[in-house]
Each structure stands twice: as structure tokens, then as C-alpha cells.
């Protein structure tokens, strides 16, 4: 099972769909990530090699996803509430 950004990706899904299980990654960003890593987007998650998973992790590291993104969103909401602009 591929574990990326603290999320276990579903094994039976295609790569482009599997990456969308990570908070902050949609289809467009998923397509960009797989293209940067040099992986076919139709390839199933279960057939990814460890090297391919490592390349995906490296590319995803350049983006704000999961915990970082959730924290930033919460801070933005709190800031807007503090200034009364929500």
C-alpha cells in the first residue's frame, strides 16, 4: 500500500484518482504531480514501485497538502473572524 503525506492511497484506483484522496490534491494537481514524476496516470496504485512512490513524495513535498494546508486555512478563517470580515 502506498502511503503518501500520511494518507494510505486506495490500491485498486488509478493513480490520478488515488492521489485525490490527499487533502489539497484534485485531478488537475494530481495530473501535474504524475507528469512531473514521470508516471502514467492510468497506472494503478498497487503496481507503483517504491522508486515511483518516492518520486511522487518528492514532487508532493513542493506543495502545501494535508496538515500544512489545513493549518493555513484555519489560520485564515481565524484572522478573518478576528477582524470581523467573515
Amino acid at each position: 500500500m502506498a502511503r503518501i503525506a500520511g494518507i494510505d492511497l486506495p490500491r485498486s484506483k488509478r493513480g490520478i484518482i488515488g492521489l485525490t484522496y490527499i487533502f489539497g490534491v484534485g485531478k488537475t494537481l494530481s495530473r501535474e504531480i504524475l507528469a512531473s514524476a514521470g508516471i502514467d496516470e492510468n497506472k494503478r496504485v498497487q503496481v507503483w514501485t517504491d522508486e515511483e512512490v518516492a518520486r511522487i513524495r518528492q514532487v508532493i513535498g513542493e506543495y502545501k497538502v494535508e496538515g500544512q494546508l489545513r493549518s493555513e486555512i484555519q489560520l485564515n478563517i481565524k484572522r478573518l473572524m478576528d477582524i470581523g470580515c467573515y
Side-chain angles (χ1 to χ4, degrees):
M1 179 172 290
R3 185 169 181 84
I4 299 174
I7 302 297
D8 291 328
L9 301 181
R11 298 174 50 87
S12 60
K13 303 281 185 183
R14 293 183 311 138
I16 194 167
I17 301 300
L19 285 178
T20 61
Y21 281 69
I22 299 171
F23 183 78
V25 178
K27 274 189 168 183
T28 304
L29 184 57
S30 178
R31 184 171 280 125
E32 289 176 17
I33 290 168
L34 290 173
S36 296
I39 300 169
D40 181 29
E41 60 187 44
N42 293 316
K43 195 173 184 182
R44 303 261 175 199
V45 173
Q46 64 190 3
V47 296
W48 285 349
T49 63
D50 292 336
E51 180 184 312
E52 291 172 333
V53 173
R55 283 187 291 180
I56 291 172
R57 279 192 193 116
Q58 183 179 9
V59 173
I60 286 182
E62 299 170 6
Y63 298 98
K64 284 186 182 176
V65 293
E66 278 302 320
Q68 281 183 324
L69 184 59
R70 290 178 197 265
S71 296
E72 182 179 331
I73 290 170
Q74 288 301 317
L75 288 173
N76 288 340
I77 292 170
K78 184 174 180 355
R79 179 181 50 82
L80 290 172
M81 288 174 64
D82 288 346
I83 64 173
C85 182
Y86 53 95

